[in-house]
Each structure stands twice: as structure tokens, then as C-alpha cells.
Amino acid sequence: MRDRSPTVKLVIAGLIGLVLLIPIIMVYDLVNDRQNQARIAESTITAGAGGSQVVSTPVLAVPYLTEKQVPVLVDGKSVMQTQQVRSEILIAPVQHSLETRLDTERKKKAIYETVVFSADMTGQARFELPEDLSSYDVTRDQLVLSEAQLRFGVSDARGLRGGAKASLGGESVELVPGQRARGEGSGFHGTYDWSEGDALDLEYSYTLRGSRSLSLAPEGGDTRWNVTSAWQHPGFEGRYLPDTSDISDEGFSASWSIGTLAIGQGPADEAEAELERRMMSEYSAIEEASDVARATIALVEPGDIYSQVDRSVKYGFLFIGFTFLAFLLFDVIGGARVAAAEYLLTGAGLVLFFVLLLAFAEVAGFALAYLVASGAIIGLLTAYSAAVLGGWKRAGFIGGLLTVLYAGLYVLMSLEEASLIVGSVAMFFALAGVMYATRNLDWSQTVREPGEPFET
């Protein structure tokens, strides 16, 4: 009975492997879809608590009056007239220190879970009138100091809780919503009579809820920020990284000391100039993406199951390749006859592993899901291989191979930075083993009796 040559069998196995790329891509899309659903669920959970929060340094907004030439219509003609215009100058503190206690809580909806936080903010700052007001084209006489406003910026005001307090020069300031400090978002403010224009000491406190991350956008002078929390997995991001940080099983603490030169901004700024600069930065994708002037604490979720499953799916073709290669060697060297349909069914089982992994990981966590899914597929394909390859001894080899593959994949995903070099070395030795096993194989041989092995 004529049989296909080893080369033809290799081509058939390769074509079936390529066909199986289609369901692997579908599984990859399924992971992305489930991840998007999880993000939507997280947004629903955090709807009442607020999203990622950005707080800015408090500023004093001081109105001033100036005269400008503006066009007006007189008898149908446009003429220039001098009118008094009201503008604002924003004065940042020369010193600012902030203490934050970050308490976290897990919220759950169905199978989805996320982390929200409550940040107790307690700060002190010192304000002084700039000595060089003339550089802003403003004189002391133009300032309406009796109508100064103390402004706090918060990106998502839904997270503000009652009990916010502030005092300037020992005098309590009544706080009301609105009038953000700078940039996007919202905030709260209070009016203060600063007629004397002397240096002012500010003390304030408020509680802010949010999720995912908390950021500080420093303004003006030297800024110090100290944060403590029981959360064990912080991520430090943004332009400013902490000077010191301590992470342990009990939580973390971090301290920032951001100088005036690092902030790159003077003690005062015209409100119109600030608005123009902010609008320009919104159109600068590079600045928005890579040069955000913030110190950020991200509440990192350890072992995001979707990113782990996503990484494992990317190794799917290796599982199919190694298993098919083992079947092919048993066929062309060991004498077992493996049909195309048997390759296809085996590959379907290997693809099913990733679906099982995703399904169980959403309810039981990645580690347990990996153990259950890999155990089920190893058992299934080992039993099936006993029938395909004609014996439990050969099936045991397939089971051992799959065990090594699944264990190796788990180790590769846990190594992270070293995964590429370890995986590359493993692939090298695997290829060397295949070359050694097929070194005497006549790939052009086309005739042999069923059950008669090739000589090696």
C-alpha cells in the first residue's frame, strides 16, 4: 500500500496548523471583547465614586482692572473706544505641602471587580504677592484684592465628600462648588478679602474619592507631597517620580519634593494666558502623551487576568506546532498513521484550552484557572493520543510533552523581562532535538508498509 512521503505529511500538518490560526485569532478577539466588558463594568462600579482623580495646587485668583481699546459700532461705523476690562491674575503658592492618606476598597459587580479609593487630603501653603507685577503688565493699584478667590482644582467633582475646610491667615473661608484652579475638570472655591496684601498662610483639608489613580499637578513654588496607604501594589507615573518610596506587605509610603525649577512656572500667571496655553497643549498630542506635568500614583491590579490570558494566547501556535511535530515524528519514524482529521481534532483541543482558561480565570483567578484548563486538556489529548498513536506508551509521551509545554508557558509568563531569552533558548534546544531525531530520515521516501517504521 502506497503511503505519503514524510514531506507531504509535513506539508499537510503545516496547512492544518495554519487553518487553526483562525480560531486562535477568534479567541484573541474574545479576550479583547471580555476585557472591554470588564472595563465597562468597572466604569459602572466607579460611577458614584469618580474616576481617575487629578488634583491641582490651590491658587489665589485676584481680579484686576485695565483699560483696553475695543471696537464698537457708532452710527454704523466701527470706532475704537477705551473701556475698562476686568481680568484675573492667578497667584500660586511659594510653598505647598500636602499629606495624603489613601484608603482603598474593592467593589464588585457580578464577576467583575475594581478598586476605589478615599483620599484624605491635608495641606498647607503660603501665598505672597509677586514683587515683579510689572512683568505681567499689572500694577498693585489695579488689583481688586478685596475680591480674591481661593481655588482648588479637582478633575472629577463627583468624588468630593462633605467636610472640606480651608482657612487663610487663620480666618475660615466658606467653600462653594465651581471655579476650577487651572486646566480641565472642576473644583471648588471661596472668596477672601486680601486688601492688606500681606503674606498669607493657607491650611485646608478635604476628602476625595476616585478609582484607578490619583495625581497631583504642582503649580508655582516648592511642593512636597507625602502619601501613605495600605495598598500593596502602587505604580508611580508621570513627569515627577517620588524621591523616596517604601513598599511592603503592609502597604506603601512615598514622598515627592518638587522644586520651582522642576515645575518651570512662575508664582503668578494671567488667566487668559493660562487658558491660551492649555488650549494649545490640547492640540499637542506629543505633550499630552509624554510630558504630563503630574505626579501620579496608579493602583495597579496585580495579575490582570485579561493581560495574562492575552499573553498566553500569543503562544498558542507553539502549542500546536510542538504537538503536531510529535504526532508527525510518531507517524514518519514510529510507524503510527495519523490522519488529517486527527490533527484537526487535536488542534481544536489545544485551542479550547485558551477558552477554558479565560472562562475559569474570570471566576476563579488565573493560577487556578490555568491548572484546571491545562489539566483537562492534557487528560483529554493523552486519552485521544492512545487511540491515534496505537498505545498508552506513546500517549504518555504526548501527555508529558503537553505538561512540559503548559508548565513552561506558565514559567515564561511569570518571568516577564527574562521571558524572551528563556523562550528563545528553549526553542533552540527543541529545534536541535527535532534535527537530531530526523537526521537519518529520508524525506523523499514514498512507499512503505503500514506499521513498518523508517530506519534511523
Side-chain angles (χ1 to χ4, degrees), residues 254-318:
S255 298
W256 285 258
S257 179
I258 308 171
T260 305
L261 296 179
I263 296 174
Q265 184 181 29
D269 201 355
E270 291 186 82
E272 293 181 358
E274 163 63 22
L275 177 61
E276 180 180 354
R277 180 168 56 254
R278 176 168 55 84
M279 292 178 64
M280 291 297 294
S281 67
E282 288 177 355
Y283 288 98
S284 176
I286 296 177
E287 178 179 348
E288 182 70 19
S290 63
D291 195 25
V292 179
R294 299 172 185 166
T296 299
I297 301 170
L299 301 180
V300 179
E301 285 278 14
D304 179 15
I305 61 170
Y306 296 104
S307 63
Q308 290 176 309
V309 174
D310 179 82
R311 288 184 63 194
S312 66
V313 172
K314 293 176 181 177
Y315 290 96
F317 192 70
L318 291 180

Side-chain angles (χ1 to χ4, degrees), residues 152-286:
F152 296 84
V154 175
S155 61
D156 191 345
R158 293 176 302 170
L160 286 170
R161 293 299 180 260
K165 299 178 181 178
S167 64
L168 279 169
E171 180 181 340
S172 178
V173 178
E174 182 181 357
L175 300 174
V176 294
Q179 293 289 2
R180 61 178 176 253
R182 295 177 188 259
E184 293 299 323
S186 54
F188 54 98
H189 73 282
T191 303
Y192 180 77
D193 185 353
W194 197 18
S195 298
E196 296 180 357
D198 296 333
L200 282 177
D201 290 321
L202 165 68
E203 294 184 356
Y204 68 91
S205 63
Y206 61 91
T207 299
L208 180 67
R209 289 177 62 84
S211 61
R212 293 185 289 276
S213 68
L214 174 66
S215 302
L216 172 66
E219 304 278 356
D222 295 338
T223 300
R224 297 182 182 275
W225 189 26
N226 298 317
V227 183
T228 58
S229 176
W231 185 253
Q232 301 172 355
H233 310 283
F236 302 115
E237 304 170 356
R239 182 188 296 180
Y240 309 111
L241 297 179
D243 299 314
T244 61
S245 62
D246 180 32
I247 304 174
S248 65
D249 293 338
E250 287 73 35
F252 79 92
S253 61
S255 298
W256 285 258
S257 179
I258 308 171
T260 305
L261 296 179
I263 296 174
Q265 184 181 29
D269 201 355
E270 291 186 82
E272 293 181 358
E274 163 63 22
L275 177 61
E276 180 180 354
R277 180 168 56 254
R278 176 168 55 84
M279 292 178 64
M280 291 297 294
S281 67
E282 288 177 355
Y283 288 98
S284 176
I286 296 177

Side-chain angles (χ1 to χ4, degrees), residues 387-419:
V388 173
L389 302 178
W392 283 100
K393 185 176 181 180
R394 294 172 175 176
F397 177 84
I398 296 296
L401 173 65
L402 291 174
T403 301
V404 171
L405 286 175
Y406 284 119
L409 175 60
Y410 192 86
V411 171
L412 283 177
M413 289 192 296
S414 63
L415 289 175
E416 295 184 356
E417 290 83 0
S419 61

Side-chain angles (χ1 to χ4, degrees), residues 14-30 313 316-317 320 344 347-348 351-352 354-355:
L15 290 175
I16 296 174
L18 291 175
V19 169
L20 289 171
L21 281 178
I22 297 174
I24 288 180
I25 294 173
M26 295 175 66
V27 172
Y28 188 79
D29 291 337
L30 176 63
V313 172
F317 192 70
I320 294 174
L344 190 61
V351 174
L352 180 61
F354 301 105
V355 180

